[in-house]
Every structure is written in C-alpha cells, then in structure tokens.
C-alpha cells in the first residue's frame, strides 16, 4: 500500500520537474511571444502539458488520501504517522520544485491542491466522524 503511494510521490515529482524543464514559457514575456513559441515548437509544449496533467493528478490523489486518512485517524483517536509523513513529503516535493522555478511550481501546486480538495470524499469523512 505504501509502496504504491511512494511510487506516486516519485512519479509526481518527476512529472513536475519535467513540466518545469520542458515548458517553453519564460517570464516575463508578452502574450505574442508565448503564442509564437508554442506554435513554432509545439512538441515541448505538449510534452510539458502531458507531464503537468499526469503529475498534478498523482499529487492531488496523494493530497486527497493524506487529508482523508489524517481526518479519519484524528476522529478515531489514532493518527497514522506514515500518512502524515507522506503528506509532508508531497509538500516537500513542491518546495524542491519551487527551487527550480517558482511560478510553474506554484501553478503545479495550486492545481494539485485544488483538485485534491475538490475530490475529497465528504461522505467517508462524515461516516467516520460518527
């Protein structure tokens, strides 16, 4: 179970790193320069978007599972330390990505966090609270 989550963490980090490296947009740019860069070299753009999509889905799933398991553990009185450690490692991976390039890493983090919070199973949380 934890091996699968560690593999998701590793692949999510690698996809985030590939997204940051392959994205052909460098700030500050004008919109016309960004469009020309994407039209003239679409392969790096498509590859970076694919890496972004896979990476943020993997990280969002880890965030969702971490929050659910922490909430269930707190309500049942036994917090799972490995879940806390894994969630910390997810956020640590975003920090390492922000060292490489801040703005793409921030976008990657925001999408992952937002999608992870949207996909929370509130029924499961409500049932475990009772």
């Amino acid at each position: 179970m934890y091996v699968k989550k560690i593999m998701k963490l590793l692949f999510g980090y690698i996809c985030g790193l590939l997204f940051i490296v392959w994205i052909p947009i460098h700030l500050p740019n004008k919109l016309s320069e960004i469009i020309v860069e994407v039209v003239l070299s679409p392969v790096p753009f498509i590859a970076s978007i694919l890496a972004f999509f896979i990476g943020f889905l993997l990280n969002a799933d880890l965030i969702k599972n971490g929050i659910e398991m922490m909430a269930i553990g707190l309500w049942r009185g036994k917090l799972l330390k490995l879940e806390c450690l894994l969630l910390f490692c997810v956020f640590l991976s975003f920090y390492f990505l922000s060292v490489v390039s801040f703005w793409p890493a921030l976008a990657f983090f925001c999408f992952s966090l937002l999608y992870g919070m949207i996909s929370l199973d509130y029924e499961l949380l409500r049932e475990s609270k009772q």
Side-chain angles (χ1 to χ4, degrees):
M1 179 170 139
Y2 285 108
V3 173
K4 185 177 176 181
K5 290 182 180 185
I6 291 171
M7 293 302 288
K8 282 184 181 181
L9 176 67
L10 181 66
F11 284 128
Y13 176 75
I14 289 172
C15 286
L17 192 61
L18 291 175
F19 161 67
I20 290 172
V21 170
W22 287 343
I23 191 83
I25 300 169
H26 303 286
L27 296 176
N29 267 347
K30 297 178 186 171
L31 182 61
S32 60
E33 293 174 1
I34 293 171
I35 292 172
V36 167
E37 183 73 31
V38 169
V39 168
L40 292 179
S41 60
V43 175
F45 179 74
I46 292 170
S48 67
I49 294 303
L50 184 64
F52 175 82
F53 185 71
I54 293 169
F56 103 81
L57 285 178
L58 289 172
N59 284 319
D61 185 50
L62 288 172
I63 291 171
K64 176 188 82 108
N65 288 335
I67 292 173
E68 286 176 351
M69 292 299 121
M70 283 179 54
I72 290 170
L74 284 174
W75 286 322
R76 291 185 181 166
K78 46 184 170 186
L79 186 62
L80 300 172
K81 291 178 179 59
L82 287 176
E83 290 294 334
C84 294
L85 180 65
L86 191 65
L87 193 59
F88 176 73
C89 287
V90 170
F91 290 117
L92 191 64
S93 73
F94 287 118
Y95 169 74
F96 288 134
L97 289 175
S98 71
V99 170
V100 176
S101 182
F102 180 73
W103 293 110
L106 182 66
F108 190 66
F109 172 72
C110 289
F111 273 90
S112 297
L113 186 66
L114 184 66
Y115 190 73
M117 291 178 67
I118 287 173
S119 62
L120 281 173
D121 188 4
Y122 291 105
E123 268 314 301
L124 175 71
L125 295 176
R126 215 175 287 129
E127 288 173 6
S128 69
K129 196 174 186 180
Q130 296 172 352

